[in-house]
Amino acid sequence: MAKRLCVSVEGIDFLNPNRLQDGRECGARLELRIAEEDTLPGSIYASRGLAITRGVCRFDLLESAPGASDRMHWHPVMPNGEGRKRLYDDELSTDPLWWLGRRLRDAVDLLKEGGVEDPDRFAEDAKVLAGMADDIVADAATTLDRFRREPWPPVEARDERGMALTG
């Protein structure tokens, strides 16, 4: 396991409350994040605390309909965890899992693009993450596949960001 880099994978069902005309977007969201050890005092028996930062970069494997592959994009720069302009890439839409795996295998480059200070200090963690890329991609594929079933279920409620509330 990488000590200072991690990737979150989540399924999302999104309807932008400011752009309802764009319709729903469903799929997998992955974010490259930095883990930082806390410095709180504790005895030798205390568990080590970790804080996971907001995303440094984001990959949105989203679709407007099951199997459409039409809203696949990424955010290489995320100041304070905020995804800014969507970047589309033909290779990402054509083969999103291959594209994702390729990007995850070069986390130092992602950190550089994301504006992280001294990204080379994460080189060892990036090697570990590269070795885990196939497992992360498999998790993303499973998550995306859940949304490729037709029809999408109705959504009872959404939060203020437009994310579907479940359970």
Side-chain angles (χ1 to χ4, degrees):
M1 182 167 121
K3 291 182 181 179
R4 297 182 300 160
L5 292 178
C6 57
V7 176
S8 61
V9 181
E10 64 180 318
I12 65 167
D13 183 328
F14 177 67
L15 179 62
N16 186 336
N18 300 314
R19 297 187 52 89
L20 295 175
Q21 70 274 16
D22 290 347
R24 280 169 84 175
E25 296 180 311
C26 295
R29 169 171 285 172
L30 296 88
E31 291 182 346
L32 177 63
R33 298 167 180 260
I34 296 172
E36 299 170 338
E37 193 169 341
D38 75 25
T39 56
L40 295 174
S43 74
I44 60 171
Y45 304 106
S47 65
R48 182 179 68 163
L50 292 174
I52 307 297
T53 65
R54 291 180 175 199
V56 174
C57 70
R58 175 184 295 158
F59 308 99
D60 280 328
L61 308 183
L62 303 178
E63 301 176 323
S64 64
S69 296
D70 58 339
R71 304 230 179 126
M72 308 273 176
H73 64 275
W74 74 302
H75 303 270
V77 179
M78 291 182 49
N80 297 316
E82 294 281 347
R84 297 290 186 217
K85 184 178 179 185
R86 292 179 170 193
L87 292 183
Y88 292 89
D89 183 312
D90 289 339
E91 289 180 341
L92 174 56
S93 294
T94 302
D95 192 344
L97 300 174
W98 173 85
W99 186 93
L100 176 64
R102 181 173 57 89
R103 297 304 309 216
L104 291 175
R105 286 181 182 84
D106 193 358
V108 170
D109 188 53
L110 291 172
L111 296 170
K112 285 178 186 173
E113 288 183 66
V116 172
E117 189 175 316
D118 190 19
D120 291 324
R121 67 190 158 114
F122 295 98
E124 288 304 313
D125 289 288
K127 287 178 189 174
V128 173
L129 188 66
M132 300 169 63
D134 288 342
D135 292 330
I136 297 167
V137 169
D139 193 21
T142 299
T143 303
L144 183 58
D145 283 345
R146 284 199 327 258
F147 289 101
R148 288 190 160 166
R149 296 185 193 122
E150 295 189 48
W152 285 339
V155 174
E156 299 294 324
R158 295 184 180 276
D159 68 13
E160 69 281 352
R161 301 170 304 149
M163 297 294 189
L165 298 174
T166 59

